[in-house]
């Protein structure tokens, strides 16, 4: 059980904040809180009452006060980010004690353990604005969605954004291959198949292959072609907490795992070749994806069939138009040492991606 007393958030966002302050003399409660801190990857500071060292109480990113210590901290300076932790579900007096010490939340163990682990991990990681997350999906097979996803990620990294490229299509051949990094060291999707609850954002980033100044989560060459929906949710949530940009290359089907990915995407780009059969196929894809993703836009690829242009394709699909995705020659092919999609900063594809990020980041800042 958890309860909110006020709506103020804990202090500080952005940058690593360190572990919480624990105030309790209850040995059993302390053992539980230390265990939860360890699960969140945080090292706490423990006191029996208000710390004597000046500024310790005020500077801690999160304060966990055991119900046994409520009386001892009653005179401490009021601040945000105080949680009163108890064990007795039937103790109605806990709310009065929470008000007396200025606590933001009341939490009763063991029911509130997952909530507390998430909160401790948030302050330990210094969570700020989540990453702008863009999903790219083809209106039909061979539409060039993977190429555009790679180009968007390469461009974002070149612009100085912390960038993670996620391959959500296990049958797509591997984005690491498209980027020329199939032999790069690091974890692939099957390593995260057992992930549940919360994945550390920093640990995720450090475990993945680094290619072209960005991190890539792709598939290996094994037999695994799916991971549980809970793992997709946990991994993408961890990626988003790190801020910057996340680009997800999506398959054209919507199963439970893809639905979890779509739920965390801010903007979707539907890549559609300008031909009637592609538009017809894209209509079905847009209908399925649009049930989960609210902001879906169309990016059109030429050459154009007679009677079609980018605006007409967008009109037929009933979607906002991002623009025409240019064709760029000289892209990397497996085994060749050419530049990756979007790697040529002066090329037409990179210019398209740069313009997209400029608009998207402005829109995200205004949201």
């Amino acid at each position: 059980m958890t309860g909110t007393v006020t709506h103020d958030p804990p202090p500080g966002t952005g940058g690593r904040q360190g572990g919480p302050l624990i105030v309790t003399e209850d040995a059993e409660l302390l053992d539980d809180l230390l265990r939860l801190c360890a699960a969140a990857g945080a090292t706490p500071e423990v006191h029996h009452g208000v710390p004597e060292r000046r500024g310790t109480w005020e500077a801690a990113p999160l304060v966990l006060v055991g119900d046994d210590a409520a009386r001892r901290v009653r005179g401490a300076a009021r601040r945000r980010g105080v949680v009163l932790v108890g064990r007795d579900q039937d103790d109605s007096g806990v709310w009065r004690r929470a008000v007396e010490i200025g606590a933001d939340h009341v939490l009763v163990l063991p029911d509130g353990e997952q909530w507390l682990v998430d909160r401790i991990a948030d302050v330990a990681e210094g969570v700020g604005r989540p990453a702008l997350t863009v999903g790219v999906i083809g209106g039909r097979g061979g539409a060039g969605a993977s190429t555009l996803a790679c180009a968007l990620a390469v461009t974002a990294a070149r612009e100085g954004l912390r960038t993670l490229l996620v391959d959500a299509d296990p049958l797509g051949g591997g984005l690491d291959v498209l980027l020329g990094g199939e032999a790069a060291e690091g974890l692939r999707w099957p390593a995260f198949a057992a992930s549940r609850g919360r994945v550390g954002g920093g640990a995720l980033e450090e475990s993945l292959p680094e290619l072209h100044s960005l991190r890539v989560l792709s598939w290996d060459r094994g037999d695994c072609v799916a991971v549980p929906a809970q793992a997709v949710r946990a991994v993408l949530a961890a990626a988003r907490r790190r801020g910057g940009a996340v680009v997800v290359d999506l398959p054209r089907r919507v199963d439970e795992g893809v639905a979890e990915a779509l739920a965390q995407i801010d903007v979707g780009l539907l890549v559609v070749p300008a031909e009637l059969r592609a538009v017809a196929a894209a209509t079905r894809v847009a209908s399925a994806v649009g049930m989960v993703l609210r902001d879906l836009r169309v990016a059109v690829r030429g050459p154009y069939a007679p009677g079609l242009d980018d605006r007409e394709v967008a009109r037929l699909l009933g979607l906002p138009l991002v623009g025409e995705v240019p064709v760029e020659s000289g892209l990397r092919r497996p085994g060749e040492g050419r530049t990756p999609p979007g790697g040529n900063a002066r090329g037409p594809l990179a210019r398209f991606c740069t313009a997209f990020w400029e608009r998207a980041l402005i829109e995200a800042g205004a949201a």
Side-chain angles (χ1 to χ4, degrees):
M1 183 188 80
T2 63
T4 301
V5 177
T6 72
H7 298 286
D8 289 330
T13 56
R16 191 166 184 86
Q17 302 293 312
L21 171 65
I22 297 176
V23 182
T24 184
E25 286 185 332
D26 184 330
E28 186 177 354
L29 177 61
L30 177 59
D31 285 345
D32 282 339
L33 294 178
L34 291 176
R35 172 177 55 83
L36 297 178
C37 285
T43 302
E45 184 172 339
V46 180
H47 291 267
H48 296 318
V50 178
E52 296 181 0
R53 189 169 69 250
R54 187 173 182 178
T56 302
W57 171 270
E58 293 82 2
L62 182 68
V63 178
L64 307 178
V65 179
D67 194 31
D68 66 289
R71 179 179 54 82
R72 295 192 296 276
V73 303
R74 192 179 299 163
R78 294 301 176 102
R79 50 152 295 163
R80 302 189 304 274
V82 176
V83 180
L84 183 62
V85 185
R87 290 179 174 280
D88 188 352
Q89 297 274 2
D90 299 321
D91 181 10
S92 59
V94 69
W95 299 97
R96 173 182 51 80
R97 293 189 291 277
V99 172
E100 289 174 350
I101 68 172
D104 297 336
H105 291 84
V106 172
L107 181 141
V108 179
L109 299 180
D111 291 358
E113 285 192 356
Q114 187 59 57
W115 181 93
L116 188 54
V117 169
D118 289 344
R119 177 58 65 90
I120 295 169
D122 280 345
V123 299
E125 289 185 351
V127 173
R129 179 185 290 273
L132 176 58
T133 305
V134 177
V136 186
I137 186 169
R140 66 155 169 79
S146 295
T147 298
L148 179 57
C150 287
L152 285 169
V154 168
T155 301
R158 186 171 53 242
E159 295 296 321
L161 292 173
R162 174 188 280 119
T163 305
L164 176 61
L165 175 62
V166 179
D167 186 353
D169 186 358
L171 303 181
L175 294 186
D176 53 350
V177 177
L178 186 55
L179 292 172
E182 59 270 25
E185 293 185 359
L187 300 182
R188 268 64 173 183
W189 263 118
F192 299 97
S195 297
R196 299 292 187 275
R198 185 186 181 100
V199 175
L204 171 68
E205 183 176 340
E206 293 170 3
S207 71
L208 299 177
E210 182 174 9
L211 302 170
H212 308 288
S213 300
L214 60 98
R215 298 286 179 167
V216 182
L217 176 54
S218 190
W219 296 86
D220 61 14
R221 292 342 123 198
D223 296 331
C224 178
V225 294
V227 297
Q230 303 97 310
V232 175
R233 181 193 312 127
V235 169
L236 282 182
R240 284 171 54 81
R241 285 196 303 272
R242 297 291 286 171
V246 174
V247 181
V248 185
D249 184 27
L250 294 159
R252 289 184 297 118
R253 68 182 189 281
V254 179
D255 56 21
E256 289 185 358
V258 174
E260 288 289 353
L262 288 169
Q264 298 194 53
I265 287 173
D266 299 307
V267 180
L269 299 183
L270 181 64
V271 184
V272 184
E275 56 186 49
L276 287 177
R277 287 190 65 194
V279 173
T283 300
R284 299 177 65 87
V285 175
S287 177
V289 171
M291 296 177 65
V292 184
L293 179 59
R294 289 180 297 177
D295 189 350
L296 181 63
R297 311 176 190 183
V298 61
V300 182
R301 286 191 58 206
Y304 291 94
L308 288 180
D309 59 19
D310 54 357
R311 290 182 175 81
E312 179 63 10
V313 171
R315 187 192 69 80
L316 291 172
L317 291 170
L319 296 173
L321 175 65
V322 171
E324 178 184 350
V325 181
V327 177
E328 186 166 280
S329 60
L331 297 181
R332 179 187 293 276
R333 296 182 178 87
E336 299 182 0
R338 302 184 181 184
T339 57
N344 179 6
R346 297 183 178 181
L349 186 55
R351 293 199 302 271
F352 172 89
C353 294
T354 297
F356 169 80
W357 283 120
E358 288 176 351
R359 293 193 304 269
L361 289 169
I362 290 173
E363 292 172 1

